[in-house]
Amino acid sequence: MNHPEIFMVLARATNGVIGANGTLPWHLPQDLRHFKALTQGRPMIMGRKTFDSLPGLLPGRRHIVLTRNEDWAEDGAEVVRSMEEAIATANAPHVAVIGGAEIFTLFLPHADRIELTEVHADVPGDTHMPPFDPEVWQESARTDHPADPEHRDRPAFSFVTLVRR
């Protein structure tokens, strides 16, 4: 198979936070629907902690888990030990990389596109992702969404597509 399109799907707060205590530090139902639409029917590559953070197996998607732990196994997870093995195991024209930070950093030089949810808030968290280099990444689409005034944990956000220059 030729090189698949590798795209990363992540939400990042203004201060770079992508996670807190193994979870998302916000609740944005539209972002969850957006994530589902982007990943449905596609293999997803993730680290073990990201797999553990899911509410269970996500229907209609393959769960390829990249981990250094030789003993780790979980029903429904396809375990791999390297980026190359993950891509070969995916064996698909489009492959979603869904986290966490170490996995994003590993795949970033090979990604063709980033589907970023910019969460317009500074939030506390323990997992961060730095801004994407504008010399490498160009914004190709943006959809802005206002904050939900009835829910404090639903700040304004934007769906942004970045493509490699």
Side-chain angles (χ1 to χ4, degrees), residues 56-119:
L57 292 176
L58 304 178
R61 290 158 273 193
R62 291 173 50 212
H63 297 67
I64 300 169
V65 179
L66 178 54
T67 179
R68 291 181 289 265
N69 183 338
E70 297 289 333
D71 299 324
W72 188 86
E74 198 68 50
D75 285 345
E78 299 173 64
V79 180
V80 297
R81 305 286 176 223
S82 71
M83 180 182 66
E84 296 77 16
E85 186 183 359
I87 293 168
T89 298
N91 190 29
H94 307 281
V95 179
V97 176
I98 66 164
E102 282 185 58
I103 302 301
F104 288 138
T105 300
L106 180 66
F107 277 87
L108 186 61
H110 308 280
D112 301 294
R113 173 170 53 102
I114 299 168
E115 294 295 344
L116 174 64
T117 300
E118 290 180 345
V119 179

Short mmCIF file of all heavy atoms in Angstrom, two decimals, residues 56-119:
data_model
loop_
_atom_site.label_atom_id
_atom_site.label_comp_id
_atom_site.label_asym_id
_atom_site.label_seq_id
_atom_site.Cartn_x
_atom_site.Cartn_y
_atom_site.Cartn_z
N GLY A 56 -15.03 3.22 26.23
CA GLY A 56 -15.14 1.84 25.76
C GLY A 56 -14.73 1.83 24.30
O GLY A 56 -14.25 2.85 23.78
N LEU A 57 -14.91 0.70 23.64
CA LEU A 57 -14.60 0.66 22.22
C LEU A 57 -15.57 1.56 21.47
O LEU A 57 -16.78 1.53 21.72
CB LEU A 57 -14.69 -0.77 21.69
CG LEU A 57 -13.63 -1.73 22.21
CD1 LEU A 57 -13.91 -3.14 21.69
CD2 LEU A 57 -12.23 -1.29 21.83
N LEU A 58 -15.04 2.38 20.57
CA LEU A 58 -15.88 3.28 19.79
C LEU A 58 -16.37 2.54 18.56
O LEU A 58 -15.54 2.05 17.77
CB LEU A 58 -15.10 4.54 19.41
CG LEU A 58 -14.51 5.31 20.59
CD1 LEU A 58 -13.71 6.51 20.10
CD2 LEU A 58 -15.59 5.75 21.57
N PRO A 59 -17.67 2.42 18.37
CA PRO A 59 -18.21 1.62 17.27
C PRO A 59 -17.76 2.13 15.91
O PRO A 59 -17.60 3.34 15.70
CB PRO A 59 -19.73 1.76 17.42
CG PRO A 59 -19.96 2.32 18.78
CD PRO A 59 -18.71 3.02 19.19
N GLY A 60 -17.55 1.20 14.99
CA GLY A 60 -17.25 1.55 13.60
C GLY A 60 -15.84 2.04 13.37
O GLY A 60 -15.54 2.63 12.33
N ARG A 61 -14.95 1.80 14.32
CA ARG A 61 -13.56 2.23 14.19
C ARG A 61 -12.63 1.17 14.77
O ARG A 61 -12.97 0.52 15.76
CB ARG A 61 -13.34 3.55 14.96
CG ARG A 61 -14.05 4.70 14.27
CD ARG A 61 -14.29 5.83 15.22
NE ARG A 61 -15.55 5.58 15.91
CZ ARG A 61 -16.19 6.47 16.63
NH1 ARG A 61 -15.67 7.66 16.80
NH2 ARG A 61 -17.33 6.19 17.21
N ARG A 62 -11.47 1.01 14.15
CA ARG A 62 -10.45 0.12 14.69
C ARG A 62 -9.60 0.90 15.68
O ARG A 62 -9.29 2.06 15.46
CB ARG A 62 -9.60 -0.45 13.56
CG ARG A 62 -10.39 -1.42 12.70
CD ARG A 62 -9.62 -1.88 11.48
NE ARG A 62 -8.28 -2.34 11.78
CZ ARG A 62 -7.25 -2.21 10.95
NH1 ARG A 62 -7.40 -1.62 9.77
NH2 ARG A 62 -6.07 -2.65 11.28
N HIS A 63 -9.19 0.23 16.75
CA HIS A 63 -8.41 0.83 17.83
C HIS A 63 -7.01 0.21 17.79
O HIS A 63 -6.80 -0.90 18.28
CB HIS A 63 -9.08 0.56 19.18
CG HIS A 63 -10.43 1.16 19.31
ND1 HIS A 63 -11.52 0.75 18.56
CD2 HIS A 63 -10.88 2.16 20.11
CE1 HIS A 63 -12.57 1.47 18.90
NE2 HIS A 63 -12.21 2.34 19.83
N ILE A 64 -6.06 0.93 17.20
CA ILE A 64 -4.67 0.48 17.13
C ILE A 64 -3.91 1.20 18.23
O ILE A 64 -3.83 2.43 18.24
CB ILE A 64 -4.08 0.77 15.74
CG1 ILE A 64 -4.90 0.04 14.66
CG2 ILE A 64 -2.61 0.38 15.68
CD1 ILE A 64 -4.57 0.45 13.24
N VAL A 65 -3.38 0.43 19.17
CA VAL A 65 -2.77 1.00 20.37
C VAL A 65 -1.26 0.78 20.32
O VAL A 65 -0.78 -0.36 20.30
CB VAL A 65 -3.37 0.38 21.65
CG1 VAL A 65 -2.71 0.98 22.89
CG2 VAL A 65 -4.89 0.61 21.68
N LEU A 66 -0.54 1.89 20.30
CA LEU A 66 0.92 1.88 20.30
C LEU A 66 1.39 1.98 21.74
O LEU A 66 1.10 2.96 22.43
CB LEU A 66 1.43 3.07 19.47
CG LEU A 66 2.92 3.31 19.36
CD1 LEU A 66 3.66 2.08 18.87
CD2 LEU A 66 3.19 4.48 18.42
N THR A 67 2.08 0.93 22.22
CA THR A 67 2.54 0.90 23.61
C THR A 67 3.89 0.20 23.71
O THR A 67 4.19 -0.69 22.92
CB THR A 67 1.51 0.20 24.53
OG1 THR A 67 2.02 0.19 25.87
CG2 THR A 67 1.21 -1.23 24.10
N ARG A 68 4.67 0.64 24.68
CA ARG A 68 5.96 -0.02 24.98
C ARG A 68 5.76 -1.21 25.91
O ARG A 68 6.66 -2.02 26.07
CB ARG A 68 6.92 0.99 25.63
CG ARG A 68 7.39 2.06 24.69
CD ARG A 68 8.37 3.01 25.39
NE ARG A 68 7.72 3.87 26.37
CZ ARG A 68 7.29 5.10 26.13
NH1 ARG A 68 7.46 5.64 24.95
NH2 ARG A 68 6.71 5.81 27.08
N ASN A 69 4.61 -1.30 26.56
CA ASN A 69 4.35 -2.36 27.54
C ASN A 69 4.11 -3.67 26.81
O ASN A 69 3.07 -3.88 26.18
CB ASN A 69 3.15 -1.97 28.40
CG ASN A 69 2.86 -2.98 29.48
OD1 ASN A 69 3.25 -4.15 29.41
ND2 ASN A 69 2.14 -2.54 30.50
N GLU A 70 5.08 -4.57 26.89
CA GLU A 70 5.02 -5.86 26.18
C GLU A 70 3.86 -6.74 26.65
O GLU A 70 3.41 -7.61 25.92
CB GLU A 70 6.35 -6.62 26.35
CG GLU A 70 7.55 -5.93 25.76
CD GLU A 70 7.56 -5.95 24.23
OE1 GLU A 70 6.97 -6.87 23.63
OE2 GLU A 70 8.14 -5.01 23.65
N ASP A 71 3.41 -6.54 27.88
CA ASP A 71 2.37 -7.41 28.45
C ASP A 71 0.96 -6.86 28.28
O ASP A 71 -0.01 -7.52 28.63
CB ASP A 71 2.63 -7.61 29.96
CG ASP A 71 3.97 -8.28 30.21
OD1 ASP A 71 4.36 -9.14 29.41
OD2 ASP A 71 4.63 -7.91 31.21
N TRP A 72 0.84 -5.64 27.75
CA TRP A 72 -0.47 -5.02 27.69
C TRP A 72 -1.30 -5.60 26.55
O TRP A 72 -0.82 -5.77 25.42
CB TRP A 72 -0.35 -3.51 27.50
CG TRP A 72 -1.65 -2.79 27.62
CD1 TRP A 72 -2.22 -2.35 28.77
CD2 TRP A 72 -2.54 -2.44 26.57
NE1 TRP A 72 -3.43 -1.74 28.49
CE2 TRP A 72 -3.65 -1.79 27.14
CE3 TRP A 72 -2.52 -2.62 25.18
CZ2 TRP A 72 -4.72 -1.32 26.39
CZ3 TRP A 72 -3.58 -2.16 24.44
CH2 TRP A 72 -4.67 -1.51 25.05
N ALA A 73 -2.54 -5.91 26.85
CA ALA A 73 -3.50 -6.37 25.84
C ALA A 73 -4.89 -6.02 26.35
O ALA A 73 -5.13 -5.97 27.56
CB ALA A 73 -3.38 -7.87 25.62
N GLU A 74 -5.78 -5.76 25.43
CA GLU A 74 -7.15 -5.41 25.79
C GLU A 74 -8.05 -5.88 24.65
O GLU A 74 -7.69 -5.75 23.47
CB GLU A 74 -7.24 -3.90 25.98
CG GLU A 74 -8.43 -3.40 26.74
CD GLU A 74 -8.44 -3.78 28.21
OE1 GLU A 74 -7.44 -3.58 28.91
OE2 GLU A 74 -9.49 -4.28 28.65
N ASP A 75 -9.21 -6.40 24.99
CA ASP A 75 -10.16 -6.83 23.95
C ASP A 75 -10.49 -5.66 23.04
O ASP A 75 -10.77 -4.56 23.52
CB ASP A 75 -11.46 -7.36 24.58
CG ASP A 75 -11.29 -8.74 25.19
OD1 ASP A 75 -10.28 -9.41 24.89
OD2 ASP A 75 -12.17 -9.14 25.98
N GLY A 76 -10.42 -5.88 21.75
CA GLY A 76 -10.78 -4.86 20.77
C GLY A 76 -9.63 -3.97 20.36
O GLY A 76 -9.76 -3.17 19.45
N ALA A 77 -8.47 -4.10 21.04
CA ALA A 77 -7.31 -3.28 20.71
C ALA A 77 -6.33 -4.11 19.88
O ALA A 77 -6.07 -5.26 20.20
CB ALA A 77 -6.62 -2.79 21.98
N GLU A 78 -5.82 -3.49 18.83
CA GLU A 78 -4.75 -4.09 18.03
C GLU A 78 -3.46 -3.47 18.53
O GLU A 78 -3.22 -2.28 18.33
CB GLU A 78 -4.97 -3.81 16.55
CG GLU A 78 -6.28 -4.38 16.02
CD GLU A 78 -6.55 -3.94 14.59
OE1 GLU A 78 -5.77 -4.30 13.68
OE2 GLU A 78 -7.55 -3.22 14.38
N VAL A 79 -2.63 -4.25 19.20
CA VAL A 79 -1.44 -3.72 19.87
C VAL A 79 -0.27 -3.71 18.90
O VAL A 79 0.00 -4.71 18.21
CB VAL A 79 -1.10 -4.57 21.11
CG1 VAL A 79 0.14 -4.02 21.82
CG2 VAL A 79 -2.29 -4.59 22.08
N VAL A 80 0.43 -2.58 18.86
CA VAL A 80 1.63 -2.42 18.02
C VAL A 80 2.74 -1.80 18.87
O VAL A 80 2.46 -1.21 19.92
CB VAL A 80 1.35 -1.57 16.76
CG1 VAL A 80 0.33 -2.25 15.84
CG2 VAL A 80 0.86 -0.17 17.13
N ARG A 81 3.97 -1.90 18.37
CA ARG A 81 5.12 -1.42 19.13
C ARG A 81 5.86 -0.26 18.47
O ARG A 81 6.77 0.29 19.07
CB ARG A 81 6.12 -2.57 19.34
CG ARG A 81 5.52 -3.79 19.97
CD ARG A 81 5.25 -3.59 21.44
NE ARG A 81 4.58 -4.79 21.95
CZ ARG A 81 3.56 -4.78 22.76
NH1 ARG A 81 3.06 -3.63 23.17
NH2 ARG A 81 3.01 -5.88 23.17
N SER A 82 5.49 0.11 17.23
CA SER A 82 6.19 1.19 16.54
C SER A 82 5.23 1.94 15.63
O SER A 82 4.18 1.42 15.27
CB SER A 82 7.35 0.64 15.71
OG SER A 82 6.85 -0.07 14.59
N MET A 83 5.66 3.15 15.25
CA MET A 83 4.86 3.94 14.31
C MET A 83 4.70 3.17 12.99
O MET A 83 3.60 3.12 12.43
CB MET A 83 5.52 5.28 14.07
CG MET A 83 4.74 6.16 13.10
SD MET A 83 5.56 7.72 12.77
CE MET A 83 7.02 7.15 11.92
N GLU A 84 5.78 2.59 12.50
CA GLU A 84 5.73 1.87 11.23
C GLU A 84 4.76 0.69 11.30
O GLU A 84 3.99 0.45 10.38
CB GLU A 84 7.14 1.39 10.85
CG GLU A 84 8.13 2.50 10.57
CD GLU A 84 8.68 3.20 11.83
OE1 GLU A 84 8.56 2.65 12.95
OE2 GLU A 84 9.20 4.32 11.68
N GLU A 85 4.81 -0.04 12.41
CA GLU A 85 3.89 -1.16 12.59
C GLU A 85 2.45 -0.67 12.69
O GLU A 85 1.53 -1.32 12.16
CB GLU A 85 4.28 -1.97 13.84
CG GLU A 85 3.46 -3.23 14.01
CD GLU A 85 3.76 -4.01 15.28
OE1 GLU A 85 4.65 -3.58 16.06
OE2 GLU A 85 3.10 -5.03 15.50
N ALA A 86 2.24 0.47 13.32
CA ALA A 86 0.88 1.02 13.45
C ALA A 86 0.31 1.35 12.07
O ALA A 86 -0.84 1.01 11.76
CB ALA A 86 0.89 2.26 14.33
N ILE A 87 1.12 2.00 11.22
CA ILE A 87 0.65 2.37 9.88
C ILE A 87 0.40 1.12 9.04
O ILE A 87 -0.61 1.02 8.34
CB ILE A 87 1.67 3.32 9.21
CG1 ILE A 87 1.69 4.66 9.95
CG2 ILE A 87 1.33 3.53 7.73
CD1 ILE A 87 2.84 5.57 9.57
N ALA A 88 1.31 0.14 9.13
CA ALA A 88 1.14 -1.10 8.37
C ALA A 88 -0.11 -1.86 8.85
O ALA A 88 -0.86 -2.40 8.03
CB ALA A 88 2.38 -1.98 8.50
N THR A 89 -0.33 -1.87 10.15
CA THR A 89 -1.50 -2.56 10.70
C THR A 89 -2.78 -1.86 10.27
O THR A 89 -3.78 -2.52 9.94
CB THR A 89 -1.41 -2.61 12.24
OG1 THR A 89 -0.24 -3.36 12.60
CG2 THR A 89 -2.64 -3.25 12.87
N ALA A 90 -2.77 -0.54 10.22
CA ALA A 90 -3.95 0.21 9.79
C ALA A 90 -4.33 -0.17 8.36
O ALA A 90 -5.50 -0.38 8.05
CB ALA A 90 -3.70 1.70 9.89
N ASN A 91 -3.33 -0.26 7.46
CA ASN A 91 -3.54 -0.71 6.09
C ASN A 91 -4.79 -0.08 5.48
O ASN A 91 -5.70 -0.77 5.03
CB ASN A 91 -3.61 -2.24 6.05
CG ASN A 91 -3.58 -2.76 4.62
OD1 ASN A 91 -3.00 -2.13 3.74
ND2 ASN A 91 -4.22 -3.90 4.40
N ALA A 92 -4.85 1.24 5.50
CA ALA A 92 -6.03 1.97 5.03
C ALA A 92 -5.58 3.24 4.34
O ALA A 92 -4.49 3.75 4.62
CB ALA A 92 -6.94 2.30 6.21
N PRO A 93 -6.41 3.81 3.46
CA PRO A 93 -6.01 5.04 2.77
C PRO A 93 -6.00 6.27 3.67
O PRO A 93 -5.32 7.25 3.38
CB PRO A 93 -7.04 5.19 1.66
CG PRO A 93 -8.20 4.33 2.06
CD PRO A 93 -7.66 3.26 2.95
N HIS A 94 -6.77 6.26 4.78
CA HIS A 94 -6.83 7.38 5.71
C HIS A 94 -6.70 6.82 7.13
O HIS A 94 -7.44 5.91 7.51
CB HIS A 94 -8.15 8.14 5.59
CG HIS A 94 -8.45 8.57 4.19
ND1 HIS A 94 -7.87 9.67 3.61
CD2 HIS A 94 -9.26 8.02 3.26
CE1 HIS A 94 -8.30 9.79 2.37
NE2 HIS A 94 -9.14 8.80 2.14
N VAL A 95 -5.77 7.38 7.89
CA VAL A 95 -5.49 6.89 9.23
C VAL A 95 -5.56 8.06 10.21
O VAL A 95 -4.88 9.07 10.01
CB VAL A 95 -4.10 6.23 9.30
CG1 VAL A 95 -3.80 5.75 10.71
CG2 VAL A 95 -4.00 5.08 8.30
N ALA A 96 -6.39 7.93 11.25
CA ALA A 96 -6.54 8.97 12.26
C ALA A 96 -5.60 8.69 13.43
O ALA A 96 -5.55 7.57 13.94
CB ALA A 96 -7.98 9.02 12.75
N VAL A 97 -4.86 9.71 13.85
CA VAL A 97 -4.02 9.63 15.04
C VAL A 97 -4.72 10.47 16.10
O VAL A 97 -4.96 11.67 15.89
CB VAL A 97 -2.60 10.16 14.75
CG1 VAL A 97 -1.76 10.18 16.02
CG2 VAL A 97 -1.94 9.33 13.65
N ILE A 98 -5.08 9.84 17.24
CA ILE A 98 -5.96 10.54 18.19
C ILE A 98 -5.32 10.81 19.55
O ILE A 98 -5.99 11.27 20.45
CB ILE A 98 -7.30 9.80 18.35
CG1 ILE A 98 -7.12 8.44 19.00
CG2 ILE A 98 -8.00 9.67 17.00
CD1 ILE A 98 -8.43 7.85 19.53
N GLY A 99 -4.03 10.54 19.72
CA GLY A 99 -3.37 10.93 20.96
C GLY A 99 -2.74 9.78 21.69
O GLY A 99 -2.81 8.65 21.25
N GLY A 100 -2.14 10.13 22.77
CA GLY A 100 -1.92 11.39 23.43
C GLY A 100 -0.72 12.15 22.91
O GLY A 100 -0.26 11.97 21.78
N ALA A 101 -0.18 12.99 23.79
CA ALA A 101 0.86 13.93 23.40
C ALA A 101 2.09 13.24 22.81
O ALA A 101 2.63 13.69 21.80
CB ALA A 101 1.26 14.78 24.61
N GLU A 102 2.53 12.12 23.40
CA GLU A 102 3.70 11.42 22.86
C GLU A 102 3.43 10.88 21.46
O GLU A 102 4.29 10.93 20.58
CB GLU A 102 4.11 10.25 23.76
CG GLU A 102 4.88 10.64 24.99
CD GLU A 102 5.36 9.40 25.75
OE1 GLU A 102 6.09 8.58 25.15
OE2 GLU A 102 5.00 9.27 26.92
N ILE A 103 2.24 10.38 21.25
CA ILE A 103 1.86 9.82 19.94
C ILE A 103 1.75 10.95 18.92
O ILE A 103 2.24 10.82 17.79
CB ILE A 103 0.54 9.02 20.05
CG1 ILE A 103 0.67 7.89 21.07
CG2 ILE A 103 0.12 8.49 18.69
CD1 ILE A 103 1.74 6.86 20.82
N PHE A 104 1.15 12.07 19.31
CA PHE A 104 1.08 13.23 18.41
C PHE A 104 2.49 13.68 18.01
O PHE A 104 2.77 13.94 16.84
CB PHE A 104 0.33 14.40 19.05
CG PHE A 104 -1.16 14.20 19.17
CD1 PHE A 104 -1.82 14.58 20.32
CD2 PHE A 104 -1.90 13.67 18.12
CE1 PHE A 104 -3.20 14.42 20.43
CE2 PHE A 104 -3.27 13.51 18.23
CZ PHE A 104 -3.92 13.88 19.39
N THR A 105 3.39 13.77 18.98
CA THR A 105 4.75 14.21 18.71
C THR A 105 5.46 13.24 17.76
O THR A 105 6.16 13.65 16.83
CB THR A 105 5.54 14.37 20.03
OG1 THR A 105 4.86 15.34 20.84
CG2 THR A 105 6.96 14.81 19.78
N LEU A 106 5.23 11.96 17.96
CA LEU A 106 5.84 10.93 17.11
C LEU A 106 5.34 11.03 15.66
O LEU A 106 6.12 10.93 14.71
CB LEU A 106 5.52 9.54 17.69
CG LEU A 106 6.06 8.33 16.94
CD1 LEU A 106 7.58 8.31 16.98
CD2 LEU A 106 5.48 7.06 17.56
N PHE A 107 4.04 11.24 15.49
CA PHE A 107 3.44 11.23 14.16
C PHE A 107 3.49 12.58 13.45
O PHE A 107 3.33 12.64 12.24
CB PHE A 107 1.99 10.74 14.23
CG PHE A 107 1.87 9.24 14.24
CD1 PHE A 107 1.93 8.53 15.42
CD2 PHE A 107 1.68 8.54 13.05
CE1 PHE A 107 1.84 7.15 15.43
CE2 PHE A 107 1.57 7.17 13.04
CZ PHE A 107 1.65 6.46 14.24
N LEU A 108 3.70 13.67 14.20
CA LEU A 108 3.63 15.01 13.61
C LEU A 108 4.48 15.17 12.35
O LEU A 108 4.00 15.71 11.35
CB LEU A 108 3.98 16.08 14.65
CG LEU A 108 3.80 17.53 14.20
CD1 LEU A 108 2.36 17.83 13.81
CD2 LEU A 108 4.25 18.47 15.31
N PRO A 109 5.73 14.70 12.32
CA PRO A 109 6.53 14.88 11.10
C PRO A 109 5.98 14.11 9.89
O PRO A 109 6.38 14.38 8.76
CB PRO A 109 7.92 14.34 11.49
CG PRO A 109 7.94 14.30 12.97
CD PRO A 109 6.51 14.11 13.41
N HIS A 110 5.07 13.17 10.12
CA HIS A 110 4.53 12.33 9.05
C HIS A 110 3.08 12.67 8.71
O HIS A 110 2.52 12.12 7.77
CB HIS A 110 4.64 10.86 9.46
CG HIS A 110 6.02 10.49 9.89
ND1 HIS A 110 7.03 10.21 9.00
CD2 HIS A 110 6.58 10.43 11.13
CE1 HIS A 110 8.15 9.97 9.65
NE2 HIS A 110 7.91 10.10 10.95
N ALA A 111 2.49 13.57 9.50
CA ALA A 111 1.07 13.91 9.30
C ALA A 111 0.90 14.78 8.06
O ALA A 111 1.74 15.62 7.75
CB ALA A 111 0.53 14.64 10.53
N ASP A 112 -0.20 14.55 7.38
CA ASP A 112 -0.57 15.34 6.20
C ASP A 112 -1.54 16.46 6.56
O ASP A 112 -1.61 17.47 5.88
CB ASP A 112 -1.24 14.43 5.16
CG ASP A 112 -0.33 13.30 4.72
OD1 ASP A 112 0.69 13.59 4.09
OD2 ASP A 112 -0.63 12.13 5.05
N ARG A 113 -2.30 16.23 7.64
CA ARG A 113 -3.37 17.16 8.00
C ARG A 113 -3.60 17.07 9.50
O ARG A 113 -3.39 16.02 10.10
CB ARG A 113 -4.63 16.75 7.22
CG ARG A 113 -5.89 17.46 7.54
CD ARG A 113 -7.01 17.13 6.53
NE ARG A 113 -7.29 15.73 6.33
CZ ARG A 113 -8.32 15.07 6.86
NH1 ARG A 113 -9.19 15.70 7.62
NH2 ARG A 113 -8.51 13.79 6.61
N ILE A 114 -4.06 18.19 10.07
CA ILE A 114 -4.43 18.22 11.48
C ILE A 114 -5.85 18.76 11.57
O ILE A 114 -6.16 19.82 11.02
CB ILE A 114 -3.47 19.12 12.30
CG1 ILE A 114 -2.04 18.59 12.20
CG2 ILE A 114 -3.94 19.23 13.75
CD1 ILE A 114 -1.00 19.56 12.73
N GLU A 115 -6.71 18.01 12.22
CA GLU A 115 -8.07 18.46 12.52
C GLU A 115 -8.06 18.90 13.98
O GLU A 115 -8.07 18.08 14.90
CB GLU A 115 -9.09 17.35 12.27
CG GLU A 115 -9.21 16.93 10.82
CD GLU A 115 -9.76 18.01 9.89
OE1 GLU A 115 -10.35 19.00 10.40
OE2 GLU A 115 -9.60 17.87 8.67
N LEU A 116 -7.97 20.20 14.17
CA LEU A 116 -7.76 20.79 15.49
C LEU A 116 -9.03 21.48 15.98
O LEU A 116 -9.62 22.28 15.26
CB LEU A 116 -6.62 21.81 15.40
CG LEU A 116 -6.31 22.66 16.62
CD1 LEU A 116 -5.83 21.79 17.79
CD2 LEU A 116 -5.27 23.72 16.28
N THR A 117 -9.41 21.16 17.19
CA THR A 117 -10.44 21.95 17.86
C THR A 117 -9.70 22.90 18.78
O THR A 117 -9.04 22.46 19.73
CB THR A 117 -11.41 21.07 18.66
OG1 THR A 117 -12.05 20.15 17.76
CG2 THR A 117 -12.47 21.92 19.36
N GLU A 118 -9.76 24.19 18.46
CA GLU A 118 -9.15 25.21 19.31
C GLU A 118 -10.18 25.58 20.38
O GLU A 118 -11.24 26.12 20.06
CB GLU A 118 -8.81 26.47 18.51
CG GLU A 118 -7.68 26.30 17.54
CD GLU A 118 -7.38 27.58 16.76
OE1 GLU A 118 -8.22 28.52 16.76
OE2 GLU A 118 -6.31 27.63 16.14
N VAL A 119 -9.87 25.26 21.62
CA VAL A 119 -10.75 25.59 22.73
C VAL A 119 -10.29 26.95 23.25
O VAL A 119 -9.17 27.10 23.71
CB VAL A 119 -10.68 24.51 23.83
CG1 VAL A 119 -11.59 24.88 25.00
CG2 VAL A 119 -11.07 23.15 23.25
#
